[in-house]
Amino acid sequence: MTDVFEVDRYDAAGRLGELEVPRAGVTVETPALLPVINPHLQTVTPAQLESEFGAEILITNSYVLYGSEDLREPVEQQGLHDLLDFSGAIVTDSGSFQLAEYGDIDVTTEEILDFQRRIGSDIGTPVDIPTPPDASREQAEDELATTQERLATAADVETGEMLVNAPVQGSTYPDLREEAGAHAAESGLDVFPVGAVVPMMNEYRYADLADVVAAAKRGLPESAPVHLFGAGHPMMFALAVALGCDLFDSAAYAIYARDDRYMTVRTTEHLEDLEYFPCSCPVCTSYTPAELREMDDDQRERLLAEHNLHVSYGELRTIKQAIRRGDLMELVEARARSHPAMLDGYRALLDHAGQLERTDPVSKDTFFHLSGESARRPEVVRHHRRLDRLEPRGDSVLLTEGNDADGFDECWNVLPPFGPFPRELADGYPLTAETPERLDAPAYEAAAAGVRRLVDAHPDTAFTLGHDGWPASALADVPDHVELWNLGNDG
């Protein structure tokens, strides 16, 4: 793996980074959106993407150019950057999408990589096998083996300064995705797309997507730039970034516009259903839905595509600022409330909280507890692990949500969802958390898990828990030999 990616700042596994693309002579700030450019049908031109949207990178299909009677000779003569009129970084796909759709393509990895190099691609792609979700184990293993053979072939092709993608396949088998990530990292290639996930997104299987990405990330080194192939809708960008994805390609902005579909960060609306535009982008402040409906097809499609791009780029800027502030997980949770399937994805993300905790900063601004899911965040996992290193002083300890009491060697605070902690830590992150007065049961259950962890680590210490009316589900997890005081009943 080459050294082309540098991380500036983390939040969970999300990161602000810089991807150096030597052939283009540019450094791309990540997370970054790669609009998909159809060489035959440019709804929004690359020049407009660069000048109006600030696009630093885009993606197009080299197989389409390779097989085009109209474009192959011009792109070979002019080069890709001149043909598309774009000065940023250009990524080229290999035809693997066509392979998945039609079952066969008439080009080898060597041929398509050589073609990509000759036309001036900045990041090329070998012909991998995108195994669909829910394929049989045998099919997934066989096709992964073929992909890995082709990565080895790609590593031997002379590509000059062109970076090369090493796709991570494995269908919906987490162990295969993890193995594929580790193998890809050892290939000597440069950028690591997680492939064959579009069917999951089309079916709103965001929980499966989270598991697949988390597995791939476990196999990859932390320094690996990760591209989520086909991640087109902004509603899931924050989730994918929190999992550690850095690049997102999207044809959805144009495909949706062709069908009169209007993106928001929460959902997709049909133009015919809109009386007002819930957006302040240049398109939405210049026209009403009725005015767009009266336009000819080409003009309406172009304007809807521009709006969809404004929403997509705006969401990435929101995500970057959230990482900078340290509240990416709050943003992910807010986005998760937009759709039940997104909530499933967020809950699956939290299943990997221990993995996310490894790169999550130990200090940020205030932790906001927003729901029961907040009790499973990486910060809570970290606090519980920290309890293993904290030593109570004395033989009897009061863990309390209230005030000190006589007769104990030491008094610790208890704060749902984190649980117990020495009082000298009270002013440190995340124990300065903002929590609602009406906490739900998972917050208390997480605090009880913290109590149990501390008590189990110190079997010779006598603990008393002073709680303010914790639910039975939480108290059931407190060890039986811990004395319980209900502060709510005791005044």
Side-chain angles (χ1 to χ4, degrees):
M1 189 180 76
T2 56
D3 185 18
V4 295
F5 184 61
E6 183 175 347
V7 176
D8 174 58
R9 185 173 301 220
Y10 278 99
D11 194 0
R15 59 237 186 136
L16 296 175
E18 292 185 337
L19 176 65
E20 183 181 351
V21 188
R23 193 173 195 189
V26 301
T27 298
V28 177
E29 182 183 71
T30 64
L33 177 68
L34 289 68
V36 175
I37 298 299
N38 183 333
H40 293 287
L41 180 63
Q42 297 182 16
T43 308
V44 179
T45 67
Q48 186 181 357
L49 287 169
E50 190 167 10
S51 63
E52 295 186 23
F53 295 91
E56 297 179 319
I57 186 169
L58 56 78
I59 186 169
T60 192
N61 194 311
S62 66
Y63 184 70
V64 171
L65 294 166
Y66 182 84
S68 172
E69 294 181 2
D70 297 328
L71 294 177
R72 179 165 178 171
E73 184 175 343
V75 75
E76 289 183 322
Q77 291 178 349
Q78 296 175 241
L80 194 55
H81 285 268
D82 285 347
L83 181 76
L84 296 183
D85 190 20
F86 186 75
S87 66
I90 299 178
V91 182
T92 45
D93 199 0
S94 62
S96 296
F97 173 78
Q98 285 77 8
L99 178 65
E101 289 291 306
Y102 308 119
D104 192 28
I105 56 174
D106 58 352
V107 68
T108 66
T109 284
E110 296 96 328
E111 290 168 340
I112 201 65
L113 281 176
D114 179 66
F115 178 70
Q116 290 172 85
R117 178 190 60 79
R118 287 190 288 109
I119 65 175
S121 173
D122 300 305
I123 305 177
T125 309
V127 183
D128 62 310
I129 309 295
T131 308
D134 308 316
S136 70
R137 176 85 186 193
E138 181 181 12
Q139 178 186 347
E141 290 176 335
D142 288 348
E143 293 182 351
L144 178 57
T146 300
T147 290
Q148 292 174 342
E149 290 171 4
R150 293 177 180 179
L151 296 189
T153 298
D156 290 335
V157 174
E158 176 54 50
T159 57
E161 285 193 313
M162 182 177 77
L163 303 180
V164 179
N165 282 317
V168 178
Q169 299 292 349
S171 187
T172 34
Y173 299 94
D175 62 320
L176 294 186
R177 290 283 186 170
E178 184 172 350
E179 173 196 325
H183 182 275
E186 294 172 356
S187 68
L189 302 179
D190 309 290
V191 181
F192 302 91
V194 180
V197 295
V198 171
M200 292 183 223
M201 289 184 279
N202 288 344
E203 296 171 7
Y204 289 80
R205 293 171 58 179
Y206 294 116
D208 290 335
L209 176 69
D211 290 339
V212 161
V213 173
K217 289 282 293 185
R218 286 195 296 273
L220 290 166
E222 194 50 47
S223 56
V226 177
H227 180 165
L228 188 61
F229 263 159
H233 201 292
M235 71 187 294
M236 53 77 60
F237 286 175
L239 175 70
V241 169
L243 283 159
C245 296
D246 308 292
L247 303 169
F248 306 87
D249 67 277
S250 172
Y253 74 95
I255 294 171
Y256 282 30
R258 208 165 299 141
D259 295 334
D260 282 350
R261 288 186 287 171
Y262 174 99
M263 285 180 174
T264 75
V265 294
R266 293 176 54 86
T267 186
T268 304
E269 303 282 356
H270 289 276
L271 181 62
E272 65 183 19
D273 297 329
L274 292 174
E275 289 297 319
Y276 308 96
F277 283 141
C279 173
S280 299
C281 80
V283 174
C284 296
T285 54
S286 299
Y287 304 97
T288 66
E291 288 170 336
L292 252 64
R293 286 192 289 267
E294 293 300 315
M295 293 178 181
D296 63 66
D297 291 348
D298 289 345
Q299 186 181 16
R300 183 174 64 253
E301 178 182 335
R302 177 179 59 81
L303 289 171
L304 282 173
E306 289 178 7
H307 158 79
N308 292 341
L309 283 165
H310 280 297
V311 172
S312 299
Y313 278 106
E315 178 66 357
L316 278 181
R317 289 191 295 272
T318 298
I319 290 167
K320 290 177 182 179
Q321 184 59 37
I323 297 172
R324 180 82 46 194
R325 272 196 312 262
D327 58 11
L328 176 61
M329 292 299 287
E330 280 92 344
L331 177 64
V332 175
E333 179 152 357
R335 297 295 183 251
R337 302 297 161 184
S338 67
H339 193 283
M342 283 299 304
L343 184 56
D344 284 338
Y346 179 48
R347 288 170 174 166
L349 166 81
L350 293 171
D351 289 341
H352 306 284
Q355 180 176 330
L356 307 186
E357 187 271 333
R358 292 198 291 268
T359 53
D360 191 56
V362 297
S363 182
K364 311 179 195 176
D365 288 337
T366 305
F367 178 107
F368 282 85
H369 186 100
L370 301 176
S371 72
E373 280 74 34
S374 298
R376 299 174 56 212
R377 281 177 46 175
E379 296 93 334
V380 179
V381 170
R382 177 183 296 121
H383 180 74
H384 287 180
R385 289 175 176 172
R386 181 184 294 170
L387 289 171
D388 296 340
R389 306 193 303 271
L390 297 177
E391 290 283 343
R393 296 188 295 269
D395 296 328
S396 62
V397 177
L398 173 65
L399 313 175
T400 180
E401 291 187 278
N403 298 320
D404 291 358
D406 294 333
F408 295 92
D409 294 326
E410 188 178 15
C411 293
W412 285 29
N413 287 356
V414 175
L415 175 68
F418 301 99
F421 58 91
R423 291 191 163 171
E424 55 266 29
L425 299 181
D427 293 331
Y429 183 87
L431 302 173
T432 54
E434 292 283 349
T435 61
E437 291 185 10
R438 300 181 181 184
L439 283 168
D440 40 20
Y444 298 109
E445 291 162 6
V451 170
R452 172 174 287 277
R453 185 157 185 160
L454 179 70
V455 170
D456 288 348
H458 301 282
D460 296 330
T461 302
F463 289 95
T464 298
L465 172 63
H467 66 92
D468 190 4
W470 286 13
S473 60
L475 295 176
D477 196 39
V478 176
D480 292 339
H481 59 279
V482 174
E483 185 177 354
L484 299 177
W485 293 355
N486 189 337
L487 305 177
N489 290 341
D490 295 342

